[in-house]
Amino acid sequence: MPAVCRWAVKVDNWQPEQGEWKFLLRLLSSEVRAEVQRYKFEADQRRCLVSRLLQRKCVRDVCSVPFSEVNIQRTKGGKPFCANHCHPLAAPNFNFNVSHEGGYVVLAAEPVCICGIDVAAPPEARSAKTQTPAELFRAFDKQFTAEEWTCIKAAGNEAEQMQAFQRHWSLKEAECSFSYQLHCPLAVNQRLPRWMATSCSGGGLPFKCWVSNMWCRWLLVLLKMSSMHGE
């Protein structure tokens, strides 16, 4: 199977029966099962379970490792990686990233290029207490530059400003996941050009920046999951 993967699983309406839930949990190690069950709310447990299963399926499919033998560890920045040391020749730098929020769990994988992914849910799709746009913007005040805030607040009404906020934040979160793998955790403080969060839908937006004494070429892509979900 090609190592380029873009997977999305809609889990908000999934209500597994007890037998199905126990069967899926048994596919994971005792340590990972404990991670899943550590979450207080069932919706969070479901998202965590699907995330862990997607990661193992991706490694199994790309690296031909038996599902029960898949070994996934995490970098210092928290990004999961395959620790089986069996990357195929066609995928010498096989890596993947996952994200989950609201109704979706998503995964991206690449054979050579370092990848990152983030999914952002609208307030009504989150289980946590909903903040008003004003409260949210105050909480994230230091996470965006003045130019980025100008772009977000110029988007239109409150709903449109929230969508612009989600686009900017998703880009930063996705960038963070692969910049940590490059040992240059600059993502949250990285200045995104004004046009970037509105110009990288569809086929994506290529750009380059100077990181750790070298030019890095990145491709940013924004996708709308559904009419009820963000990027």
Side-chain angles (χ1 to χ4, degrees):
M1 176 181 177
V4 177
C5 303
R6 301 292 186 270
W7 296 344
V9 179
K10 198 171 188 299
V11 297
D12 52 348
N13 294 323
W14 178 45
Q15 299 292 335
E17 296 183 358
Q18 187 175 17
E20 179 185 11
W21 181 256
K22 289 182 177 180
F23 168 77
L24 294 174
L25 278 177
R26 285 197 296 268
L27 296 176
L28 306 173
S29 66
S30 58
E31 293 83 2
V32 178
R33 286 199 298 271
E35 290 179 16
V36 173
Q37 295 172 320
R38 196 173 296 135
Y39 286 95
K40 178 179 179 181
F41 299 106
E42 290 185 1
D44 293 325
Q45 290 186 6
R46 291 196 298 269
R47 284 189 287 265
C48 183
L49 174 66
V50 173
S51 171
R52 300 304 189 272
L53 291 173
L54 279 182
Q55 294 172 50
R56 280 156 178 75
K57 172 176 169 52
C58 183
V59 172
R60 184 201 66 180
D61 290 354
V62 174
C63 300
S64 300
V65 177
F67 197 90
S68 61
E69 297 177 16
V70 170
N71 181 14
I72 293 175
Q73 302 295 327
R74 289 185 177 271
T75 66
K76 290 182 178 179
K79 181 176 180 178
F81 68 92
C82 172
N84 289 90
H85 304 294
C86 56
H87 295 183
L89 292 177
N93 191 39
F94 167 62
N95 71 109
F96 57 91
N97 193 223
V98 289
S99 178
H100 54 80
E101 188 174 75
Y104 282 93
V105 179
V106 295
L107 177 145
E110 284 286 332
V112 178
C113 298
I114 296 174
C115 65
I117 192 169
D118 182 68
V119 61
E124 60 270 23
R126 297 194 185 110
S127 56
K129 180 182 177 182
T130 301
Q131 292 177 294
T132 66
E135 292 171 336
L136 190 65
F137 292 174
R138 281 196 299 270
F140 282 79
D141 179 61
K142 302 299 183 182
Q143 311 303 330
F144 294 101
T145 65
E147 184 180 22
E148 289 165 350
W149 277 122
T150 298
C151 184
I152 291 170
K153 293 178 180 179
N157 58 35
E158 279 195 352
E160 291 166 331
Q161 288 183 30
M162 280 296 297
Q163 291 174 5
F165 171 87
Q166 288 182 306
R167 287 193 293 269
H168 279 76
W169 187 246
S170 283
L171 290 175
K172 285 178 179 281
E173 285 282 278
E175 178 198 347
C176 184
S177 65
F178 60 73
S179 65
Y180 268 113
Q181 190 159 328
L182 290 171
H183 306 291
C184 52
L186 50 79
V188 171
N189 295 317
Q190 176 72 15
R191 181 172 177 268
L192 296 174
R194 175 188 294 270
W195 39 264
M196 190 168 291
T198 56
S199 304
C200 48
S201 58
L205 172 71
F207 79 105
K208 63 180 181 179
C209 67
W210 186 254
V211 177
S212 299
N213 298 316
M214 64 179 179
W215 281 106
C216 291
R217 296 180 180 274
W218 296 348
L219 177 68
L220 300 180
V221 179
L222 281 172
L223 296 174
K224 194 171 184 63
M225 302 300 296
S226 74
S227 60
M228 284 298 292
H229 217 275
E231 280 74 21

